[in-house]
Amino acid sequence: MKTHILVQPYMRSVGEEVKNPGSDPQRYQDLLENLTTQMKYADDNGYYGFCMTEHHLQVEGIETTTNPILWNMHVANNTKHLKVGQVGMCLPAHNPVTLAEDLAMLDHMTKGRLFVGFVRGNTPRWLNTLAQHLNISTSQSDKSEVDQRNRRLFEENFRIIKKLWTEDTINFQGEFWNIPPKDPIEWHFPPTKMWSREGDTDENNIIQRVGIVPKPYHSILQFFSLDNQVASNNSNFPA
């Protein structure tokens, strides 16, 4: 049996009355030190993996899981064997290109100790703040238009990330994202004909396709060995 540890760290004690403990730098230092000690113990005693949720703006000091990717890097740097991952990154809150890059980099930096999880988001304070430019709100899985819009963005971001991880370069035109954008981008550096794959630019040096650097090391590619229909079939995605 493989045992993962899902960490939801608090910056306050049970029953403690304190205002906005999440804003206290010393409390965060204590949290960092304590969690590092715990994960070293878990690593030395045969636990398989570490993961956490994604939340932001948690000034109350409850479930202070800001940036699981940085946490993954920290835990990996302080352990030898633990797999690291997220349960999960909130896709509607992220630019899919930068998220694909960040996770691929982490996969390399951990030499394949990474696993990946994605969710739709259920906390309006931070999701509605981070995703406001796309008019996205939290999902309550109630089949409302708000819920369906959240799901469509989740699935679109999923498809984009999968393509970026598995194809050299991509052209994706969707409801929320156009990659590259519809407004033409003329590209002369580096010398297009010498370095770019045929079709990445047209005869007028207008960009047609783009790709990320780096591609994943290997572990998350195994995670994404899914049938292409999965990303377009609502019934296969969790709420």
Side-chain angles (χ1 to χ4, degrees):
M1 182 175 67
K2 298 177 180 179
T3 304
H4 290 265
I5 300 176
L6 171 61
V7 177
Q8 297 182 325
Y10 278 43
M11 295 171 63
R12 63 193 304 165
S13 301
V14 175
E16 182 182 17
E17 295 294 335
V18 58
K19 294 185 181 297
N20 292 357
S23 303
D24 184 344
Q26 185 56 53
R27 284 177 180 264
Y28 199 82
Q29 280 294 307
D30 293 341
L31 166 63
L32 188 62
E33 181 178 349
N34 291 337
L35 194 146
T36 302
T37 299
Q38 293 167 4
M39 291 308 104
K40 287 180 177 179
Y41 176 87
D43 191 46
D44 291 339
N45 286 273
Y47 284 81
Y48 185 77
F50 158 88
C51 58
M52 61 168 48
T53 59
E54 179 186 13
H55 288 290
H56 302 268
L57 312 180
Q58 302 286 78
V59 293
E60 300 86 358
I62 298 173
E63 200 167 354
T64 54
T65 53
T66 306
N67 201 328
I69 293 176
L70 277 182
W71 272 109
N72 290 162
M73 188 75 255
H74 175 75
V75 170
N77 282 343
N78 284 277
T79 57
K80 298 178 181 178
H81 307 291
L82 274 182
K83 303 290 186 182
V84 294
Q86 322 85 38
V87 185
M89 298 303 297
C90 182
L91 279 188
H94 289 276
N95 181 305
V97 177
T98 57
L99 183 57
E101 290 176 333
D102 289 347
L103 290 169
M105 289 176 65
L106 182 58
D107 198 33
H108 278 271
M109 292 175 180
T110 61
K111 291 292 182 69
R113 289 162 62 187
L114 176 67
F115 61 91
V116 173
F118 295 140
V119 298
R120 295 175 59 198
N122 64 359
T123 308
R125 177 172 57 182
W126 69 263
L127 177 58
N128 295 16
T129 300
L130 269 60
Q132 61 183 293
H133 60 297
L134 294 174
N135 191 27
I136 292 296
S137 302
T138 53
S139 166
Q140 303 304 321
S141 300
D142 58 3
K143 307 300 182 182
S144 65
E145 174 53 32
V146 169
D147 173 60
Q148 292 301 310
R149 183 173 175 84
N150 177 295
R151 178 176 286 278
R152 292 197 306 272
L153 176 57
F154 173 87
E155 296 184 13
E156 185 166 308
N157 281 0
F158 180 96
R159 290 194 295 270
I160 292 169
I161 290 173
K162 181 180 177 182
K163 288 171 70 69
L164 288 167
W165 281 348
T166 58
E167 300 177 22
D168 286 346
T169 55
I170 74 167
N171 182 294
F172 184 93
Q173 306 301 312
E175 178 182 358
F176 301 96
W177 299 101
N178 297 305
I179 305 171
K182 289 184 177 181
D183 292 337
I185 300 174
E186 192 170 348
W187 188 252
H188 293 281
F189 182 83
T192 303
K193 301 301 181 185
M194 183 181 300
W195 298 103
S196 297
R197 195 184 67 169
E198 184 176 355
D200 289 346
T201 57
D202 64 15
E203 65 277 6
N204 297 313
N205 290 319
I206 302 300
I207 293 176
Q208 302 298 312
R209 302 175 64 87
V210 295
I212 63 166
V213 177
K215 296 297 184 187
Y217 183 70
H218 66 72
S219 66
I220 49 181
L221 284 179
Q222 296 171 6
F223 172 84
F224 268 77
S225 60
L226 303 174
D227 185 89
N228 289 334
Q229 294 301 314
V230 170
S232 61
N233 187 342
N234 287 353
S235 64
N236 286 316
F237 279 87

